[in-house]
Every structure is written in structure tokens, then in C-alpha cells.
Amino acid sequence: MTSFLQQAFNGLVSGGFYALLALGLAVIFGMLHVVNFAHGAIYMLGAFGAVALQDTAGLGFWWALLLVPLTAALAGMVLERLFIHRLAALDPLYNFLLTFGIALVCQDLLRMKYGAQSRPYDEGPFPGSVDLGPFDYPAYQVFVLGAAAVVCLAVWLLLTRTRIGTVVRASTERPELTRALGIDTGRWVTPVFGFGVALAALAGVLAAPMRAVNSGMGADLIIAVFAVVVIGGLGSIPGAVVAGFAIGMLQALGNLYVPVLSQTSVFVLMAVVLLVRPAGLFGKEEHAL
Amino acid sequence: MGHTWSKAAVATAAVVAGSLLAGCGGGGPGSGGGKISDDGITLGVLTDLSGVYAELAGEDAVTAVEMAVADFEKKHGDDAVTDDIDVISADHQNKPDVANTRARNMYEREKADAVFDVPTSSAALAVANVAEQSQKLYFNIGAATTELTGESCNPYTYAWAYDTYMLANGTGTEVTRQGGESWYLIYPDYAFGQDMEKEFSTAIEEAGGEVVGKDPTPFPNDNFSTFLLKASAKKPAPAVLGTLQAGGDLVNVVKQYQQFKLKEKGIQLAIGLMFDTDIKAIGQDKLAGTMFTSAWFWNVDEESREWAERFREEAGTWPTFDHAANYSAATHYLEAVQRAGTDDPEEVNKELEGMEFDDFFARNAEVRAADHRVVHDAYLARVKDPADSETAGDFTEKVETIPADKAFGPPSPDCSMS
């Protein structure tokens, strides 16, 4: 039982990363109808940002946690204005290819500079363990889980309890109607993109003390995140979060009982969800317009 | 808003393209130039120029082979068997199919007389196969599988540097003898990892130890907590966690090993394969004291240091054992051609087979005729405490020398050269 609980907890920590990344993807897809392929690359850049701050300016984890997502948000907004915006009216494929290309460029630029090897990063805050009752757990990883949960909850409250949130949700779900009510939906597109990007960068900073920081780290992770988004329902915010944590648990428990299948299980689940409920667990079935 | 794409289609495409993204690496150019056998010698370095092994092998492996050529030319001057020696290189992206095509291209179109390096076992096996078909020589440096000198051995393939037997026999045996008798092994679930797991289990059991648990881990993987907790939940707790992961996965294991405080719980870490580049990536302080087996390291003795200094002037970085072994193999190949007076592989083989030699990389070495395995001294090593390092990049200290006849296994009965 203890090992089951421990593994479930492991799964929640992994799930925290999935949820943060999937949440960013969901927000961006909801508002812009862009599947942001550069999301994994931004996660990777977030982690590299933390390493760069440490190496060049001697700024530690907390500074990185503040500065990196802010910088990412700004860069994301510039990117949206300069490129993504211009392709918005065209077939979604164009933005597919654009973000895909951006991801490759980021990955290869870092590989050129640093090679494919990982970069060292300090241990991060909270070096000790926390007593969770039946077992001890690394304090830093408990913090990561807490941070992911708080961010997800905050986004949820932001979207449901504030006027900005209402506007964003309205522009996501019924853009024409929202515009007809005199609300300028266009002005929210850029900040929402920046926000989604910042979430990915935040996940990257959180990963730096506990995971290998290298140019491939985003590409490896993002496949699972896309599966999470599909399972949760593309564009669905609660879907992204719930599926993120659920997939994390599924993988961890899979590793415990059937290690061979733990990676595949995510995609099997995705295939089943697509067959039974093509819009995902939380997605709304879309009717032809 | 007419969405012509259903969400499901978009989503599926997203996952498919995501997988492509992960698989994408930079393509590498093949270098031009090549001579007919009689006019000159062409050495081809087929290596990873863009991926995870690009630092431990890569461009610097090419530099090592170029150094060997320059030294050979300087040594023999006008008496050299030819004054036209070329070095060409290509990127095999660690993929067997790419390695296969590039090796064929090197041998047949660019007229390479010998191919060097080829990290990644599956790629190396593909190249060994091409070498046999083309009847040209291949000196494996970067790949660890014992299959190259076992079932897949052939008269055109040599294994110069190391193999999984050497790694397991060094670390597995020695750590067990020093009291680490119960092991928990975690290994990446592909050819190299499975090979390593078998060799380690055998070595540990032969040394009187026991493998109390083992888990294949997904590859690549960024969360090893499941396996770390499984290992520490064992009753009684294992004395050693043996990690056979490489590259980024190894970094993940070490970071999380520390967060989960396994060391404090009395579970020591042993690493199956580690290069200086890995120590740099993880941080020397985090690994201080960790034992591993190495075919060579640059600070092992005076002669090695001298060569390493020269290499550093050329490459700007300290050499790994892959670089040193590429230099050693290229040098002995050229010397064999010099002695034979021809680059005909059959004649060169006669020079190399059974040859005993001693250079800075390969101490007390012999090229075994039976399986073309080069046996030489290996080193049980330990990561230095940063305070003990003489210069930046001085990561490793020798615990003991494993003599050549113990470092490698006997010729495999599965190997038949004819």
C-alpha cells in the first residue's frame, strides 16, 4: 500500500509538469486555434534560462522562477505579433508549420551552442525531505507539485471568477457573438499567447533542479503532453489539468506494475479516447458549421 | 469560422508531428574526396556529429584521427607508404539505417580504406555488416556491444576500445567485492541497456553478490522516482543502485537519486558507463566518489597527459577515451599498412592479427586474432572531489588497473571468422 501511495505521488509530480504544459497549450488553442508546437521548445528554453541566469549572473532558482516566465511571456507576445498573428486567418496548417519550425530552430541553435549534452544546474531550494506520513518525499518535488496545483487553480479562478476570464472564455467559445456584443476579442489574443508561453517556461524552470537540462528535453516530453491534451479534450482547460495529473499517475503506476507498458499506455489510452469520444474527455463535440 | 479540421484530426496530427519533432536531428554532410586504393589511403570517421554522443565522440574524434595521420606523416616522412592520406567524416545520427548508407557510401564512392568510431551499438553492427560485404576494414571505437566480437564478428571488423563485458566486469565485480553485495539494477530498455544488464548480473553473481531487483526503464525518461522508490522499498535495502543509463537519462537518475536521499539511506550509486562529458553535465561535486570503469582517462599517466595536452591544443577540450582510442586505432592501422606496404585489407589483417603493442591508450595490448578484440588494461576509476582536481576537467582518479587478461572476456564461442 505504501508503495502504491508513493508511486501515486510520483505520478502527481510528473503530472504537475504535464498539467502546466497542457494548460498552456489549451489556453493558446482555445483563444488562437493554434496548436503550439513550440511548446516543448519553450519548456526547454525555460530550463536553459534558469541555467543561464545561474552561470552568467549568479542568480539562483527564485530569480529564475520570476524572470524566466516574464521574459518568455514578452518574447511570446512579440512572436505572436510578428508571425503567428499574420497566419491566423489562413489554414491552421500554416501555424502548425511555423511553430514546428520555431521549435526546430530553437532546439538546433542550443545544440549548436551547447551540444546535445546536459547542462549542470544547482540542487535548487528545499534540499531536505518531507515526512508525508507513510513515507518521506524530496521536499523540492513536493514544492513542484504544490506550485503546479496552485498555478492550475489560479488559472481556473482567473478564468471563471474575473471579468478578464469571462471575456477570454466568451471569445474562445463564441468569438462572433462576443464581438457582436461590442467586445474587442482581438486585444486578448496576444496576452493569452504570452501567458501560455510563460506557463511552459515556468515548467522548464521547475524542471531544472530535478531533470536533465539539454536541447532534447522538450521534444521528449511534448509528445506525452500532446497525448494529454488529446485525452483531456483539445482546448479544454479542466480537461488539460485533469488529464495531465491522470496521465502522470498512469505512467507511474504503470512503471510499478508493468514497466514495459508504461510508455505505451498513454497512447493506447489516447487511441481509445479518440475512438470513443473523439473530442476528448472534457471536450465539447463540435458540429459542422 | 469554418473549421475544416475536426479537433480529433488536429489532435492526431499534433501527436504525430510531435513524434517527428523528437526524432529530428540535424543532417550531416558527407565529405568529398577520395582516392583509388593504389594512389592513397582514405580514413573515414563515421560518428555522431549532431546528437547525444557528439561531444564524447563527434567532431573531436575526427580531430583525433587527423592527429594520427599528421603524426604518422611526420614519423615516416618520405619513407611513408603513401604521401596522400585523407580523412573524411560523416554523421550517422546514431541510426542504423543512416549508418548503413553512409558506411556504404564511404567504402564504395569515397573509397575509404577503413572506417572508424561509430558510437551506438545498433549502428556499429550495421557498419560491421557493410564492412564485411565491402571487404574493407572497420575499427569500432564508440560502440559497446560484445556482439561485434561475438555472433556478428567478421574478418574486417576490429573492436578497439571497450565493451559491455569490460564495464560490467570492472564495476560490477569490484564494487561487489568491496562489500556492495546486493544490487538493484535499472537499465534503459534498448539493445545497449539489455546487454549491459546481462553482463552486470553475471559479473555481480560471479563475484558473490546478488541482484535483488532490476527494472527496464522507458527511453528516454525524465522521471525515475518510481524506480528509485522501488529500489529503496526493498527489504532489506540493496547496497548498490546500479544505473546503466547514458546521456540525459543518466543525468536524470543522478539528480533524482540525490533528491530521494538514497545515499543517506545507505544505497550507494554505481554507474555502468560514464564519460568525462557526463561528469561535466551532472557536476563533479554531485558525483564525487562515484566509481566506474573506464577504458582510459586523460590524466591516468604521464604519457597520456602529454597526448591529452596536444589534443587539447587542437580540439580545445580534454579528450575522452573515445578520442584517444580513435587516435590509437588510426595510428596502428597506418603502421600496419606501412609494414605491409599495401592497403589490401587481407595483408593489413596479417599485420594486425596477434599483434602485441603498448601505447598511451592501450596498455599491454594485444589484437586477438580469434575475434579481433583488442584487449588492454582498463581502469577502475573514481570521480575526484573537486578540491583534489589539478585543473578544470580533471575529474577522474584511478582506483586500480584491471589487467588486460581480466578486463575483457575470453573470445566468444559464437564468433567464427571464416
Side-chain angles (χ1 to χ4, degrees):
Chain A
M1 191 60 199
T2 307
S3 71
F4 177 83
L5 288 175
Q6 267 182 338
Q7 299 302 358
F9 203 80
N10 282 337
L12 289 177
V13 175
S14 279
F17 285 101
Y18 291 151
L20 280 178
L21 287 163
L23 184 61
L25 276 178
V27 175
I28 291 171
F29 183 81
M31 195 74 190
L32 286 80
H33 292 280
V34 168
V35 178
N36 180 23
F37 272 113
H39 220 64
I42 294 158
Y43 164 79
M44 181 266 293
L45 288 173
F48 266 91
V51 172
L53 282 177
Q54 175 189 271
D55 290 355
T56 59
L59 296 176
F61 177 79
W62 297 110
W63 280 108
L65 202 61
L66 179 73
L67 295 178
V68 171
L70 279 178
T71 318
L74 285 176
M77 290 199 279
V78 171
L79 178 73
E80 199 281 332
R81 279 285 98 186
L82 281 183
F83 299 109
I84 292 176
H85 183 71
R86 291 169 204 275
L87 301 177
L90 304 172
D91 192 293
L93 251 182
Y94 287 89
N95 263 321
F96 254 51
L97 292 175
L98 173 69
T99 50
F100 187 62
I102 290 171
L104 287 179
V105 168
C106 294
Q107 230 169 286
D108 279 1
L109 279 179
L110 279 165
R111 191 182 303 211
M112 255 171 66
K113 179 101 173 64
Y114 297 111
Q117 281 280 340
S118 306
R119 309 279 300 158
Y121 191 71
D122 282 351
E123 211 169 314
F126 312 118
S129 299
V130 180
D131 187 358
L132 293 177
F135 55 88
D136 284 352
Y137 209 82
Y140 178 75
Q141 300 205 7
V142 176
F143 161 74
V144 167
L145 174 58
V150 167
V151 170
C152 292
L153 193 69
V155 173
W156 176 245
L157 290 176
L158 190 73
L159 286 173
T160 51
R161 296 286 147 83
T162 65
R163 173 157 169 81
I164 302 172
T166 316
V167 171
V168 169
R169 278 187 302 138
S171 356
T172 306
E173 286 176 20
R174 290 282 178 276
E176 291 90 347
L177 195 60
T178 314
R179 271 200 295 275
L181 292 169
I183 294 163
D184 180 6
T185 57
R187 31 186 284 236
W188 293 103
V189 166
T190 310
V192 165
F193 188 82
F195 180 72
V197 165
L199 285 177
L202 176 77
V205 176
L206 288 172
M210 57 183 283
R211 292 181 173 179
V213 180
N214 56 45
S215 55
M217 66 187 286
D220 294 341
L221 186 68
I222 201 65
I223 307 171
V225 174
F226 277 126
V228 165
V229 172
V230 173
I231 292 167
L234 206 55
S236 159
I237 283 144
V241 175
V242 172
F245 284 107
I247 297 303
M249 298 246 293
L250 181 73
Q251 278 184 339
L253 294 173
N255 280 336
L256 180 61
Y257 297 112
V258 261
V260 195
L261 291 180
S262 73
Q263 294 295 87
T264 338
S265 59
V266 177
F267 300 101
V268 173
L269 182 64
M270 182 187 88
V272 172
V273 167
L274 281 178
L275 282 174
V276 179
R277 238 187 107 81
L281 297 177
F282 291 76
K284 283 202 210 80
E285 297 289 344
E286 202 166 296
H287 301 286
L289 294 174
Chain B
M1 288 276 299
H3 288 297
T4 44
W5 289 46
S6 78
K7 282 188 179 180
V10 170
T12 313
V15 172
V16 171
S19 337
L20 288 174
L21 191 63
C24 264
S31 316
K35 295 278 177 192
I36 310 297
S37 237
D38 299 336
D39 289 349
I41 302 173
T42 301
L43 308 184
V45 183
L46 185 57
T47 187
D48 175 8
L49 293 175
S50 55
V52 284
Y53 305 128
E55 263 183 86
L56 66 89
E59 204 64 65
D60 293 339
V62 184
T63 306
V65 171
E66 283 167 351
M67 276 175 72
V69 172
D71 289 352
F72 174 82
E73 284 170 343
K74 203 165 111 194
K75 181 177 164 196
H76 292 282
D78 292 341
D79 299 330
V81 66
T82 169
D83 59 0
D84 188 357
I85 307 175
D86 277 338
V87 178
I88 58 174
S89 63
D91 186 1
H92 74 334
Q93 301 167 22
N94 300 322
K95 293 176 187 149
D97 52 333
V98 180
N100 181 37
T101 321
R102 303 258 176 191
R104 209 170 281 283
N105 194 47
M106 275 186 163
Y107 285 131
E108 282 162 21
R109 297 211 15 234
E110 301 184 294
K111 304 293 179 202
D113 296 289
V115 165
F116 294 84
D117 208 9
V118 197
T120 307
S121 292
S122 52
L125 288 165
V127 174
N129 189 28
V130 178
E132 186 176 20
Q133 286 168 9
S134 315
Q135 305 194 333
K136 296 274 184 73
L137 296 178
Y138 161 43
F139 294 84
N140 165 55
I141 312 292
T145 181
T146 45
E147 210 185 310
L148 282 166
T149 50
E151 219 171 295
S152 305
C153 78
N154 69 61
Y156 300 94
T157 299
Y158 290 85
W160 209 268
Y162 75 125
D163 62 20
T164 51
Y165 179 94
M166 183 205 93
L167 298 169
N169 185 57
T171 310
T173 309
E174 283 309 317
V175 174
T176 305
R177 279 213 193 112
Q178 294 178 6
E181 286 179 357
S182 57
W183 287 66
Y184 199 99
L185 293 175
I186 54 176
Y187 59 98
D189 205 2
Y190 59 92
F192 165 78
Q194 293 153 358
D195 216 19
M196 285 283 275
E197 182 272 308
K198 271 191 223 112
E199 299 280 7
F200 261 81
S201 296
T202 314
I204 291 162
E205 274 152 26
E206 278 175 6
E210 191 193 354
V211 178
V212 295
K214 55 187 174 195
D215 276 315
T217 66
F219 172 78
N221 184 22
D222 47 27
N223 191 349
F224 286 92
S225 29
T226 309
F227 308 104
L228 298 173
L229 286 171
K230 270 171 93 171
S232 64
K234 278 268 171 198
K235 298 230 165 37
V240 186
L241 177 77
T243 166
L244 311 180
Q245 273 72 18
D249 276 12
L250 176 63
V251 180
N252 278 317
V253 170
V254 176
K255 279 189 177 181
Q256 290 160 24
Y257 165 84
Q258 281 170 336
Q259 288 189 333
F260 278 92
K261 307 254 172 259
L262 262 58
K263 196 178 195 171
E264 285 78 351
K265 289 176 188 156
I267 304 174
Q268 174 190 355
L269 185 69
I271 293 176
L273 170 60
M274 188 157 66
F275 289 87
D276 281 2
T277 41
D278 295 311
I279 303 176
K280 198 159 72 183
I282 297 168
Q284 187 189 352
D285 52 327
K286 295 200 173 89
L287 283 169
T290 307
M291 293 221 276
F292 63 105
T293 305
S294 190
W296 177 84
F297 55 95
W298 69 263
N299 203 7
V300 67
D301 55 29
E302 194 48 45
E303 203 186 341
S304 296
R305 267 191 296 277
E306 271 168 29
W307 182 80
E309 292 281 359
R310 281 211 294 135
F311 178 87
R312 197 162 75 126
E313 273 164 32
E314 297 287 327
T317 175
W318 293 112
T320 63
F321 79 66
D322 180 272
H323 303 140
N326 270 295
Y327 176 90
S328 169
T331 301
H332 289 289
Y333 168 71
L334 291 172
E335 291 293 347
V337 173
Q338 176 77 19
R339 287 199 301 275
T342 166
D343 60 0
D344 175 21
E346 315 296 340
E347 296 302 315
V348 176
N349 268 345
K350 280 183 203 154
E351 293 295 331
L352 285 174
E353 284 174 352
M355 178 178 82
E356 290 180 10
F357 68 102
D358 194 88
D359 66 11
F360 75 88
F361 167 75
R363 295 286 181 201
N364 304 310
E366 183 197 344
V367 184
R368 266 193 327 220
D371 60 352
H372 284 192
R373 158 91 262 156
V374 177
V375 296
H376 56 83
D377 291 357
Y379 305 101
L380 185 67
R382 182 165 37 216
V383 180
K384 275 187 181 172
D385 193 273
D388 299 335
S389 292
E390 289 159 30
T391 99
D394 175 27
F395 296 137
T396 314
E397 64 187 344
K398 186 170 83 176
V399 177
E400 66 178 44
T401 303
I402 306 167
D405 57 333
K406 295 229 172 61
F408 293 90
S412 161
D414 299 334
C415 167
S416 130
M417 280 288 183
S418 46

